Amino acid sequence: MRRVFRPSKLFLFGVAPTFGPGPAALRLPRQALQLPIQRDAVEVAAWVRGPSLRAMLSEPAPSSLESAVRAVLARDPQLGQAEVARSLGRAPATLARQLREAGTSYRGLRDALRRDRAVHLLARGATVAEVAEALAFSEASAFQRAFKRWTGVTPGSVRG
């Protein structure tokens, strides 16, 4: 039985990951294996306390606010915080407060999705300008600064 995942996984990985019978495998481009692993303290703590990789890739729990925000942003990464809040039936201030109580923020979630999408596009050979446009940055230089802040390396070092 094959299991196909929601658009949020498509946004994150660029392809819809599936699980099927047979041995499990995770394939990464060579360039991705050479990148430093850069996570903030909150992400590391969540990973240590969190579920296995298989559970992480499975459908998000419907009650998880963080998963709900990620799903909305996966459908339309250019939405602002107020638009995401409205789509989830919350006031923007309520969403901000609930995310803060959960140990995250709208910006943190959006940046994590943008970072992952940028790495994917760069590894597939997209130019810096193409990735900047796809992620709705005003200029390629703004994307380059954000990418360096997110990963600690330049976009050129990831490009396939």
Side-chain angles (χ1 to χ4, degrees), residues 1 4 14 16 28 31-32 37 44 66 82 86 94 99-100 107 116 118-121 130 135 138 151-152 156-157 159:
M1 176 173 110
V4 180
L28 300 170
Q31 306 93 308
I37 297 174
V44 171
E66 182 178 339
R86 276 193 297 277
T94 300
L99 288 173
R100 188 173 49 253
R107 182 179 178 181
D116 294 342
V119 168
H120 169 77
L121 292 171
E130 290 168 341
L135 298 178
S138 58
T151 65
S157 65
R159 195 157 171 265

Side-chain angles (χ1 to χ4, degrees), residues 46-59:
W47 173 258
V48 170
R49 289 189 319 267
S52 68
L53 180 60
R54 181 180 280 281
M56 195 172 75
L57 294 174
S58 66
E59 293 300 322

Side-chain angles (χ1 to χ4, degrees), residues 15-134:
V15 296
T18 59
F19 289 108
L26 178 63
R27 293 187 181 93
L28 300 170
R30 181 179 302 277
Q31 306 93 308
L33 297 173
Q34 297 170 356
L35 292 174
I37 297 174
Q38 302 265 332
R39 297 288 186 202
D40 62 30
V42 173
E43 288 176 309
V44 171
W47 173 258
V48 170
R49 289 189 319 267
S52 68
L53 180 60
R54 181 180 280 281
M56 195 172 75
L57 294 174
S58 66
E59 293 300 322
S63 62
S64 169
L65 178 60
E66 182 178 339
S67 295
V69 171
R70 286 177 180 271
V72 170
L73 286 173
R75 287 190 301 271
D76 188 352
Q78 297 180 27
L79 291 177
Q81 182 173 350
E83 296 162 315
V84 170
R86 276 193 297 277
S87 74
L88 296 174
R90 290 173 168 80
T94 300
L95 177 64
R97 178 181 50 76
Q98 290 173 332
L99 288 173
R100 188 173 49 253
E101 288 170 357
T104 190
S105 67
Y106 166 80
R107 182 179 178 181
L109 294 174
R110 186 196 63 199
D111 284 351
L113 286 169
R114 291 172 96 188
R115 175 197 63 222
D116 294 342
R117 183 70 176 147
V119 168
H120 169 77
L121 292 171
L122 289 165
R124 290 190 173 245
T127 67
V128 170
E130 290 168 341
V131 176
E133 183 178 340

